[in-house]
Amino acid sequence: MSDEPSPDPAAPAVPADPAVPAVPPVPASAAAARSRGRGPRFSRRALLLALTGGAALAAAASPVAAVGTRPRGTTPLAPPAGRVDDLLARLTLDEKVSLLHGAADPASLGQAGHVPGVPRLGIPPLRLADGPAGIRVRRTATALPAPVMLAAAFDPGLARAYGRVIGLEGRALGQDVLLSPMANLIRTPYAGRNFETFSEDPLLTADLVAEEIRGIQAEGLVATVKHFALNNQERDRTSVDVRAGEQTLHETELRAFEAAVAAGAGAVMAAYNKVDGVHAAENATLLTAILRDRWGFDGWVMSDWDAVHTTGPALAAGLDMEMPGGRRYGAALRDAVRAGRIAESAVDRAVRRILSVRERFGLLDETPSRPARDAASGARLALRVATAGATLLRNTRGTLPLTARAARSLAVVGPTAAVPFVSGGGSAHVVPDAATGPLDAIRARAGEDASVTYAVGEDLFGRPLPPLSPAVDLEGVDVAAGATWTRTVTLTASDPDEWTFLVHYGGPRPTVTLDGTELFPVRQGIAEYFVGGLLGRAPDGLHVRRTTLRLAAGPHKLTVTARGGPAGQRFRLRAVTGATRAADVADAVRAARAAHSVVLFAYEDATEGQDRATLALPGHQEALIEAVTAANARTTVVLNTSSAVTMPWLERTGAVLQMYYPGQEGAAATTAVLFGDADPGGRLTQTFPAAEDRHPTAGNPRRYPGVDGVEEYGEGVHVGHRWYEAQGVTPLFPFGHGLSYTTFRYEDLTVAPGAPEGLDVTFSVRNTGRRDGVEVAQVYLGPSPDLTALGVDQPVSALAGYRRLELAAGEQRRVTVHVTARTLSSWDTARHDWLLGTGRRTVRVGASSADPGLTVGVEVRPS
């Protein structure tokens, strides 16, 4: 969860964990042995490989603007300084324990976590904030596009710049540790946090995670890579037991975490789920054998929020810090040490790790330096990322860009045209400095002489209720502090119909019953807090809850009770009915018929804490799209969605533009791409399936969501686009797909041995159109026959490298992409190590995973 949600005044307190169980003692000798990290090991037959194992993308290909102040924490971890030794010797047991768990912040800034300091020794407190797309505190911050949109740019240099903005703002907003980036792969399209991570592809994810960490930590903020490991869904995330084979684990999910360690990440967050029957937060295989012994990680490991289930076993496994409280690592740990059940040396080991990282980042100073926020610089980067990640999926009949008559006669449809959709819900939510709605940006760009009409199409926030008896206006009721307001009235439905009731409120949630049934009951756990980045609040900032049910014709008893709470509040009760929905669609159709072109905004509101139930657009949006496209074939659908959606309406559209959750500058970026002021620079980092039953986890509950609490990664190394090729399944849109407003041609492919050990893939790309444009050239690698002979499973085609290119009209560029020895290798379970994939292999270069492009054979031999 990595979050301490802003409480809904109506929500109950978070329940306490069960009692702390008795724990066995930790063998001091074993703990000491595990603490001695060592570097990665490789088979004698393999080449010595770099831990990052990324694509050959020189940082110079996308220069990083200098942002912020003095870089801090950018050097690799060194042996603990004398200061850490001195502090450790002077700390009491109680003080040591206090540094190993979170606690309430007496001066909270609205961040996710807080660890008290030790004033006696001058150790300041530590504040930890969520921040996958900007710093999540009560104050405003730059709301960046979601990481999945950053990833669509295929630009590690841009990822570093993105990290620097977050790092600077985190320090400026009083934070010390960032609970980001998220390195888990997009494994199933249903996962509710797909927008918080990067890609289904291990190599691309590893490259971007590593560069974002370098950017974050260059500004002196500790980066926390999460969620380690195999946390690829929200459903049953605290209990599901994930089973992945050794090869699958190392070649897919772990690759980005390994890259994060190589980039110097200061902290790692252990996941909620189990791995092979053991919770990740007490899994010694993950936290010690792999993370510390194999990869040499010298930072500290914290738990996800309330993810610790034991004291001694978790500490012995390598978990250093419990968050956000101390139910396992507080009094329970102190008492276990005093009773001799846990050696104090195990506590010292964890404290040393934490203090060493804090010393590295200057976080043991009593008054750490804080830079000033640079909101203007953050906004510029947000716009740059949103434009670079804008992904044009379809464009027929010259629908885009909007020029000439198409730019002067427009109908804009959809609720997210008027209400800016900035970010997803949960840990990713950011309070932006400002955010313009796309409708306003489109009208400004079209100019005063243009006709730009608007129709909501689908009402998200409801309309005033029909007349009630006795008459009462529930559109805006003010309840004084300490007061209670209540009314019972009759609501009469003229016809049987589907009703969606909505309550908007600014204090304790009103209780609303209809015919004796409560409409908005308090939900269990985080579902109560995390309700999305769009739907959870009205445009004026009031909380929103909604429920849908069928009403019979006739009278219904409605009772509303609202409390003012300590500060008073305003609330309103609204509804959407089948009749109002039909009227909204009719208005949209009339607007579409009257205009030359249509831009229709569609949405899907994802959040931490819940997975999607379907890949279809929610609500009645599919019917709206079908009605509007039937009225005007020159309709562009702009998708503000977290992940892949199915599109039964696709062939009726003129164009489809994927904008994900585009941050505070999303309106400007969307408008620039629609009108052709910028080329759509994004490419898909996840495959879009053609239907609900045609993706890697479809129809197999063992793969998702699990059976009897156990989930099996039965697809093995064939994650994402690799599965589609292995199974011969045609997707709706392949990995790497994205259109430009110009055209490109690939020529003259050659492959040669490259240094350090690997391959240099060289080719030419020419812009053959009349506009400047962006292309993302992608290199794919075929399997090794020698590994096949040994029984090592391999993808039919694996992403091996890429290069983002900005080419002027007519420009040709010669490009070399280095394929590393790690990318040429597979994990051999017989040796428990990497093994170079030798023999005759195929190298392909093209514009997507499905593009036949240019192909050449190459012989790979060990050095």
Side-chain angles (χ1 to χ4, degrees):
M1 183 161 115
S2 63
D3 199 352
E4 187 175 73
S6 301
D8 177 337
V14 178
D17 276 357
V20 180
V23 294
V26 178
S29 58
R34 288 172 181 152
S35 69
R36 293 192 293 269
R38 54 190 173 85
R41 300 169 298 171
F42 298 91
S43 165
R44 292 181 180 275
R45 294 185 57 192
L47 301 173
L48 189 61
L49 309 177
L51 282 175
T52 50
L57 259 165
S62 180
V64 180
V67 181
T69 56
R70 175 175 63 92
R72 302 167 63 190
T74 56
T75 57
L77 281 176
R83 184 178 185 185
V84 171
D85 291 329
D86 178 66
L87 286 173
L88 194 57
R90 296 166 63 196
L91 285 164
T92 67
L93 176 61
D94 282 342
E95 289 168 341
K96 292 174 186 176
V97 168
S98 74
L99 294 173
L100 300 185
H101 65 82
D105 188 348
S108 177
L109 303 172
Q111 79 279 359
H114 169 258
V115 178
V118 182
R120 181 179 70 85
L121 298 178
I123 299 175
L126 197 69
R127 289 188 169 94
L128 306 89
D130 290 313
I135 303 300
R136 184 181 182 271
V137 292
R138 281 193 295 264
R139 292 175 55 190
T140 59
T142 301
L144 294 165
V148 71
M149 191 170 201
L150 166 67
F154 278 74
D155 189 342
L158 189 59
R160 184 179 291 201
Y162 184 99
R164 293 197 73 164
V165 166
I166 295 175
L168 172 65
E169 294 212 338
R171 298 289 297 145
L173 292 168
Q175 304 305 303
D176 307 301
V177 180
L178 181 75
L179 305 173
S180 189
M182 179 174 170
N184 304 106
L185 296 183
I186 297 176
R187 176 177 175 264
T188 175
Y190 298 110
R193 299 181 81 172
N194 282 348
F195 68 96
E196 287 189 56
T197 189
F198 297 88
S199 173
E200 68 187 20
D201 187 82
L203 181 143
L204 178 61
T205 303
D207 290 347
L208 299 176
V209 164
E211 288 305 311
E212 185 179 342
I213 287 171
R214 291 185 176 104
I216 291 164
Q217 297 193 158
E219 298 296 336
L221 193 68
V222 180
T224 307
V225 64
K226 66 182 187 182
H227 309 84
F228 192 59
L230 301 173
N231 183 182
N232 304 111
Q233 67 190 58
E234 293 299 280
R235 184 169 172 178
D236 302 324
R237 67 176 182 172
T238 62
S239 60
V240 67
D241 182 9
V242 181
R243 308 292 175 88
E246 183 183 330
Q247 183 188 5
T248 299
L249 185 66
H250 282 273
E251 289 193 26
T252 61
E253 178 79 356
L254 291 190
R255 185 161 187 174
F257 289 98
E258 185 180 2
V261 171
V268 169
M269 180 186 291
Y272 281 119
N273 51 281
K274 298 174 184 174
V275 176
D276 292 329
V278 181
H279 277 102
E282 55 190 64
N283 193 306
T285 299
L286 289 176
L287 304 187
T288 296
I290 293 174
L291 182 63
R292 296 191 185 279
D293 292 350
R294 174 168 283 278
W295 298 344
F297 177 65
D298 288 324
W300 91 78
V301 178
M302 72 180 75
S303 74
D304 207 334
W305 269 222
D306 295 313
V308 185
H309 299 269
T310 63
T311 302
L315 191 66
L319 184 79
D320 303 308
M321 179 182 286
E322 177 189 9
M323 293 300 294
R327 282 175 286 202
R328 311 298 185 196
Y329 274 29
L333 176 56
R334 180 199 61 207
D335 294 346
V337 172
R338 287 177 176 169
R341 298 195 304 272
I342 293 177
E344 190 166 353
S345 60
V347 173
D348 290 350
R349 179 187 62 191
V351 173
R352 181 183 295 277
R353 289 167 177 167
I354 294 167
L355 292 180
S356 295
V357 176
R358 293 185 63 169
E359 171 70 2
R360 167 187 166 192
F361 282 82
L363 298 177
L364 291 180
D365 300 334
E366 290 191 63
T367 55
S369 61
R370 298 284 178 191
R373 251 196 94 208
D374 187 347
S377 178
R380 288 192 295 270
L381 192 280
L383 177 60
R384 180 181 165 198
V385 173
T387 305
T391 306
L392 185 60
L393 300 179
R394 171 179 168 86
N395 192 21
T396 62
R397 303 183 295 276
T399 301
L400 291 181
L402 300 173
T403 59
R405 187 181 172 196
R408 297 192 300 271
S409 175
L410 275 172
V412 180
V413 176
T416 49
V419 179
F421 197 165
V422 174
S423 64
S427 299
H429 181 70
V430 178
V431 181
D433 293 301
T436 302
L439 175 61
D440 291 339
I442 289 170
R443 281 178 168 158
R445 174 61 177 80
E448 293 181 356
D449 296 336
S451 171
V452 180
T453 58
Y454 174 66
V456 69
E458 176 155 303
D459 189 350
L460 296 184
F461 300 107
R463 298 181 181 180
L465 295 176
L468 304 168
S469 180
V472 62
D473 184 4
L474 295 178
E475 178 57 15
V477 179
D478 292 309
V479 185
T484 299
W485 185 99
T486 187
R487 295 288 191 280
T488 297
V489 296
T490 299
L491 169 68
T492 301
S494 57
D495 298 293
D497 201 354
E498 180 184 277
W499 286 60
T500 296
F501 288 93
L502 303 97
V503 62
H504 302 204
Y505 57 100
R509 186 187 311 164
T511 299
V512 182
T513 61
L514 185 70
D515 297 331
T517 300
E518 190 171 350
L519 294 182
F520 310 107
V522 174
R523 294 184 287 180
Q524 295 296 312
I526 60 172
E528 175 56 35
Y529 299 103
F530 294 161
V531 291
L534 173 70
L535 301 179
R537 286 188 183 268
D540 62 359
L542 294 183
H543 297 281
V544 177
R545 295 294 186 272
R546 51 179 54 76
T547 190
T548 299
L549 68 162
R550 287 204 61 87
L551 282 189
H556 299 270
K557 180 181 177 182
L558 182 70
T559 300
V560 183
T561 301
R563 304 180 308 281
Q569 74 155 319
R570 164 166 284 230
F571 80 89
R572 52 184 171 255
L573 189 63
R574 290 181 171 181
V576 177
T577 68
T580 64
R581 278 192 296 272
D584 288 338
V585 172
D587 287 345
V589 167
R590 281 192 292 271
R593 285 176 177 157
H596 179 276
S597 298
V598 180
V599 179
L600 190 157
F601 286 80
Y603 74 91
E604 175 261 323
D605 193 11
T607 184
E608 177 181 357
Q610 62 185 41
D611 283 348
R612 304 158 72 191
T614 175
L615 301 186
L617 290 170
H620 297 78
Q621 293 183 95
E622 288 191 348
L624 173 64
I625 294 172
E626 289 170 357
V628 169
T629 53
N632 191 328
R634 293 180 297 276
T635 295
T636 296
V637 175
V638 178
L639 292 171
N640 291 130
T641 62
S642 68
S643 189
V645 295
T646 50
M647 304 181 196
W649 37 264
L650 179 65
E651 295 303 319
R652 298 186 177 93
T653 66
V656 177
L657 177 63
Q658 177 70 44
M659 290 300 295
Y660 300 102
Y661 300 156
Q664 67 182 49
E665 304 301 318
T670 302
T671 301
V673 172
L674 288 173
F675 284 84
D677 302 329
D679 200 49
R683 302 296 184 264
L684 290 181
T685 69
Q686 58 188 300
T687 308
F688 276 36
E692 295 268 1
D693 61 352
R694 300 184 69 189
H695 58 81
T697 61
N700 188 336
R702 291 189 178 276
R703 291 189 183 179
Y704 175 84
V707 175
D708 297 328
V710 177
E711 183 179 42
E712 300 172 0
Y713 282 28
E715 69 274 25
V717 299
H718 307 286
V719 65
H721 60 93
R722 302 173 177 185
W723 178 88
Y724 287 87
E725 187 160 5
Q727 298 298 318
V729 174
T730 301
L732 184 66
F733 296 111
F735 175 90
H737 171 74
L739 304 175
S740 167
Y741 291 148
T742 186
T743 54
F744 301 93
R745 184 170 66 239
Y746 291 75
E747 300 173 320
D748 192 17
L749 171 63
T750 62
V751 181
E757 319 263 28
L759 300 175
D760 284 339
V761 180
T762 303
F763 52 93
S764 298
V765 182
R766 182 187 298 275
N767 181 342
T768 56
R770 292 178 291 180
R771 297 176 57 108
D772 298 350
V774 176
E775 176 67 327
V776 176
Q778 300 157 48
V779 177
Y780 293 89
L781 180 69
S784 155
D786 294 344
L787 292 184
T788 299
L790 292 173
V792 177
D793 195 17
Q794 300 167 83
V796 174
S797 179
L799 181 69
Y802 50 88
R803 177 67 57 83
R804 180 182 178 87
L805 301 167
E806 296 181 8
L807 299 176
E811 180 183 359
Q812 176 176 298
R813 192 174 305 169
R814 190 75 175 153
V815 177
T816 296
V817 173
H818 181 69
V819 178
T820 66
R822 165 60 62 87
T823 298
L824 291 165
S825 302
S826 293
W827 185 267
D828 182 8
T829 57
R831 297 166 175 79
H832 308 293
D833 223 326
W834 294 97
L835 189 59
L836 182 68
T838 54
R840 188 77 173 173
R841 304 186 70 167
T842 299
V843 174
R844 173 170 55 91
V845 176
S848 77
S849 63
D851 181 9
L854 304 177
T855 302
V856 67
V858 60
E859 189 74 22
V860 177
R861 299 184 183 278
S863 59

